[in-house]
Amino acid sequence: MRLCGTGFVAGILSLAIVSAAYAQEVRPAPPPGEASAATRAANQAVAERLPIADHSDFEDATRGRIAQIPGGIIRDEDGNVVWSSEALSFLAGDAPATANPSLWRQSQLAAEHGLFEVVPGIWQVRGYDLSVMTVIEGETGWIVIDPLTTVPAARAALALVNETLGERPVSAMIYTHSHADHFGGARGIVDEAEIAARNIPVLAPTGFAQEAVAENLLAGTHMSRRATLMFGRIIPPGPTSHIGSGLGPGLAGGPVSLILPTEEIDGDGSQRIVDGVAFEFVDAAGTEAPAEFMFYLPQHRALHTAEVATATFHNVLTMRGAQVRDALGWSRAIDEVLQRYGDEAEVALASHHWPTWGGENVRAWLTGQRDVYRYVHDQVLRRANSGATMVEAAEAIGEPDFTAGDFAARGYYGSLNHNAKAVYQHYFGWWGGVMADYHRLPHEESAGRYVEAMGGADALLARGIAAYDAGDYRWAAELFNHLVFADPEDARGRNWLAAAYEQMGFQAESGAWRSYYLAGAAELRGGAPTAEPPALGSPDFLRAVPTLQLFDMLASRYDPARLTRDPFALQFRFTDTDENVAVEIGRSVIVPRSAPAANPAATLSITRPAFEALLLQSRTFPEIAQAGEARIEGDVGAFQAMMGLFEQPNFWFATQTP
């Protein structure tokens, strides 16, 4: 008892001494936009360690350019600018102190824009979106691979092709995988009426439709909000802010569409002749996307690696959020095409970045891509099986030897640190085995206790500033973040946390890390954006979503506290598609199914387009009913009650404060 009492008193005295030592006037945070001495030194060290002056990638990134969109400006139908290459003109010249020189180099390469000939018969449109559109000359028209992210960007890309190479119809469209930047511009290329009239094949990997909808509809709001930070959508381009994503120069604006494939292809050895061009498909499902394939074009000796192998180490788990990916399967998929086509391919191209020419170069590039995923997988498991937690394994992993000279295997989009954590999560989940972490207090609740334990806000700030001055920005950010979550109204904590994030962003080699840090800093300084939020759904996208999945989306927005009547069921009959959906509304869940409902309180007969308009809130139910596109039989109040159960997400929720 005496020892415990002595320890307690000593602890109180120690805290008092520490508090007194830090009870000094807290100076204001530094102004934004300035690289600290520590950041300057860190970035200079990168420039000295890597062969930044190697110009071979620049030769590849500009090789075969034959045309550009005038001024690099793309506008939508209303004349609004949705892409500007001119906004990236600041990338000319050497890297400033506010940018990692390795990321700056990657951003310069990704900003090269125009129409490029890869080999005779294959072209790419690059630099006008995050992704790349590939065009192959078929016997009767253009075979379009991955039509960019948005309709106006895809329309402008196809126009550049036709204006430069001669007008030809689209004879086929291929999606390599289920991410929106590879199908969102589909309606800028072709529409369903033309597809049906000319029997145009639209090909995609097995599972494409389900995965494309699941990721972009059910989880779309939260994922899209985080994507605004990850891709720098809420900060302007510039040397102290967004300089590129690492995967591409940025996301084009405009509506995202979806045209469902006419055929989903099993990539495991499937072969097709598409408008006279032979395709050999290679399965890559569960690597970069849940549904994905690569393909080889034997007539051109060209390997298209989709997004499985690009000019960067990719994300095993993205910052925007997605299903965690299989790094070992990813490495094996690359090894498969290396073994199958490594001795044949004379060029490799992908859905991002620039191609690689020459058999020896293709093999070296594929080897580096294969090895970096294998390295992070094996080294994390080696450490985890010796007892390392997720964070410990990620901190212990160092760069593999080959990435010192292989820029394509460096972490411009993913990173070794967070991909190591993703490998751990893939096998073991989010928990590292320490029970104190298993059922932790919410940060909003624990943060105030941390501040109190450190002697109060001033003492914590002083400790954080000392860490900041020492260039220890990760520890400074951890300290400042406690104050922000304990008292988000304290501008000192927000400004200092923003300053720490900014220096970490300036040092980041990953474009996604940089943009997230700098967008987070902007939010801390100025609050969450107040601009008109993007539409939480698109008519072009919704019309391609299977009907039952629309109801799954509604069910995911059900707030049980809004149910003020006994549970009931509704029957939906879609008069134009001959579909029936029963919706059971319980006290805790809503269960939709493609079947007749037992004893429904009401039956709603409606057209599918009218239902989509109702979901998008572009038309009211009385307007739809008056137009003769809907009618209700039974308890009208039951339908009204159902429509009042759903929470409308607030897109601009805070991400850096409680």
Side-chain angles (χ1 to χ4, degrees):
M1 290 294 293
R2 185 180 64 82
L3 290 175
C4 290
T6 301
F8 177 76
V9 171
I12 292 295
L13 290 173
S14 174
L15 179 61
I17 293 169
V18 167
S19 298
Y22 285 104
Q24 53 184 294
E25 184 177 354
V26 175
R27 76 174 192 267
E34 296 181 3
S36 67
T39 292
R40 290 174 181 272
N43 286 340
Q44 181 61 34
V46 170
E48 293 171 356
R49 181 167 59 90
L50 298 178
I52 297 293
D54 182 350
H55 207 260
S56 56
D57 283 337
F58 289 90
E59 294 171 2
D60 285 347
T62 57
R63 176 173 169 171
R65 179 158 49 202
I66 56 177
Q68 293 179 303
I69 292 175
I73 302 294
I74 299 175
R75 300 180 184 272
D76 63 16
E77 292 180 339
D78 297 324
N80 301 307
V81 174
V82 297
W83 181 261
S84 171
S85 297
E86 179 62 28
L88 300 173
S89 61
F90 66 86
L91 287 166
D94 295 336
T98 54
N100 182 297
S102 182
L103 176 60
W104 185 266
R105 175 185 184 276
Q106 179 81 350
S107 298
Q108 289 176 318
L109 290 161
E112 294 290 349
H113 64 96
L115 174 64
F116 301 80
E117 183 182 56
V118 179
V119 294
I122 302 178
W123 297 264
Q124 287 190 316
V125 181
R126 302 199 298 266
Y128 301 116
D129 190 16
L130 185 70
S131 58
V132 167
M133 188 173 90
T134 301
V135 177
I136 302 171
E137 182 179 10
E139 289 182 352
T140 65
W142 301 125
I143 303 168
V144 175
I145 315 295
D146 288 351
L148 305 183
T149 308
T150 67
V151 173
R155 184 179 294 120
L158 184 59
L160 179 63
V161 170
N162 282 323
E163 290 165 4
T164 306
L165 303 177
E167 187 87 23
R168 303 185 90 211
V170 172
S171 57
M173 186 162 60
I174 298 177
Y175 308 134
T176 60
H177 59 290
S178 52
H179 292 154
D181 55 320
H182 301 272
F183 66 75
R187 292 184 193 279
I189 302 299
V190 69
D191 60 29
E192 288 94 342
E194 189 175 1
I195 289 170
R198 297 200 293 110
N199 197 28
I200 300 172
V202 180
L203 308 180
T206 299
F208 170 89
Q210 176 182 345
E211 298 298 342
V213 169
E215 179 167 306
N216 294 284
L217 184 69
L218 297 182
T221 302
H222 186 89
M223 192 177 292
S224 297
R225 174 65 178 100
R226 279 172 43 174
T228 64
L229 286 87
M230 175 180 172
F231 292 112
R233 300 298 298 273
I234 57 176
I235 55 175
T240 62
S241 53
H242 178 69
I243 64 173
S245 72
L247 190 64
L251 283 167
V256 176
S257 66
L258 173 59
I259 294 177
L260 292 179
T262 59
E263 181 185 4
E264 292 190 352
I265 294 176
D266 180 358
D268 191 13
S270 296
Q271 299 184 18
R272 291 287 190 281
I273 303 297
V274 181
D275 194 21
V277 179
F279 284 74
E280 298 177 8
F281 293 98
V282 180
D283 181 51
T287 60
E288 189 271 337
E292 188 157 2
F293 55 40
M294 299 177 279
F295 58 83
Y296 183 65
L297 304 168
Q299 293 157 260
H300 300 280
R301 301 184 70 180
L303 175 66
H304 195 295
T305 56
E307 202 168 326
V308 182
T310 61
T312 181
F313 185 29
H314 209 288
N315 285 298
V316 180
L317 183 60
T318 73
M319 298 179 79
R320 63 182 169 85
Q323 297 178 36
V324 68
R325 297 154 184 176
D326 180 0
L328 178 58
W330 202 326
S331 177
R332 284 177 170 161
I334 298 172
D335 190 54
E336 181 178 353
V337 293
L338 175 60
Q339 298 307 312
R340 188 182 299 185
Y341 300 114
D343 292 332
E344 296 182 27
E346 287 299 323
V347 64
L349 61 157
S351 298
H352 294 272
H353 304 124
W354 51 94
T356 297
W357 286 269
E360 183 178 349
N361 292 332
V362 168
R363 289 188 292 275
W365 172 67
L366 288 172
T367 298
Q369 291 285 293
R370 176 199 66 188
D371 288 356
V372 72
Y373 295 99
R374 184 91 203 196
Y375 172 82
V376 73
H377 173 272
D378 292 353
Q379 293 308 307
V380 167
L381 285 187
R382 178 173 70 86
R383 289 169 170 82
N385 285 326
S386 295
T389 65
M390 179 176 69
V391 173
E392 288 168 346
E395 289 299 304
I397 207 164
E399 285 189 5
D401 65 305
F402 58 89
T403 59
D406 184 356
F407 283 108
R410 297 194 66 80
Y412 298 118
Y413 191 46
S415 74
L416 282 166
N417 185 278
H418 81 259
N419 280 342
K421 294 171 183 173
V423 170
Y424 189 99
Q425 178 181 328
H426 179 76
Y427 285 97
F428 308 111
W430 56 268
W431 179 49
V434 177
M435 278 308 299
D437 293 332
Y438 197 73
H439 192 204
R440 297 182 67 174
L441 290 168
H443 195 43
E444 296 92 321
E445 185 174 341
S446 65
R449 302 186 189 189
Y450 278 110
V451 174
E452 181 181 9
M454 290 186 181
D458 287 352
L460 182 147
L461 278 167
R463 289 179 183 271
I465 292 169
Y468 181 95
D469 290 342
D472 191 359
Y473 300 121
R474 291 172 66 188
W475 177 235
E478 190 169 333
L479 290 170
F480 295 140
N481 196 52
H482 285 314
L483 182 55
V484 168
F485 272 76
D487 184 5
E489 299 304 314
D490 190 332
R492 300 175 303 170
R494 294 198 315 274
N495 289 336
W496 271 108
L497 180 56
Y501 282 168
E502 188 170 64
Q503 296 306 318
M504 288 190 282
F506 289 165
Q507 293 183 29
E509 188 174 29
S510 164
W513 281 43
R514 176 186 173 93
S515 292
Y516 213 113
Y517 275 135
L518 298 184
E523 187 175 317
L524 285 164
R525 288 170 173 139
T530 58
E532 184 71 21
L536 297 177
S538 155
D540 282 343
F541 184 85
L542 283 189
R543 76 178 70 168
V545 175
T547 300
L548 190 62
Q549 288 181 293
L550 289 178
F551 284 92
D552 286 337
M553 179 270 292
L554 287 175
S556 71
R557 296 182 179 181
Y558 173 36
D559 178 2
R562 298 187 182 193
L563 183 66
T564 58
R565 54 182 288 167
D566 290 336
F568 60 98
L570 290 174
Q571 180 72 56
F572 285 79
R573 290 178 179 165
F574 292 91
T575 56
D576 54 338
T577 62
D578 197 28
E579 294 176 279
N580 286 280
V581 176
V583 181
E584 291 185 2
I585 299 169
R587 296 198 183 280
S588 299
V589 298
I590 289 178
V591 180
R593 63 173 66 91
S594 296
N599 303 314
T603 297
L604 173 65
S605 299
I606 191 169
T607 66
R608 173 59 196 262
F611 185 64
E612 294 165 15
L614 200 62
L615 295 181
L616 291 169
Q617 300 182 346
S618 59
R619 299 172 68 190
T620 66
F621 184 76
E623 290 172 341
I624 292 168
Q626 189 173 5
E629 299 171 57
R631 69 178 187 278
I632 296 178
E633 301 172 50
D635 182 0
V636 175
F639 171 70
Q640 294 172 332
M642 174 187 148
M643 296 307 291
L645 298 175
F646 305 118
E647 197 172 77
Q648 183 66 22
N650 175 20
F651 184 83
W652 292 122
F653 56 81
T655 63
Q656 307 304 312
T657 57

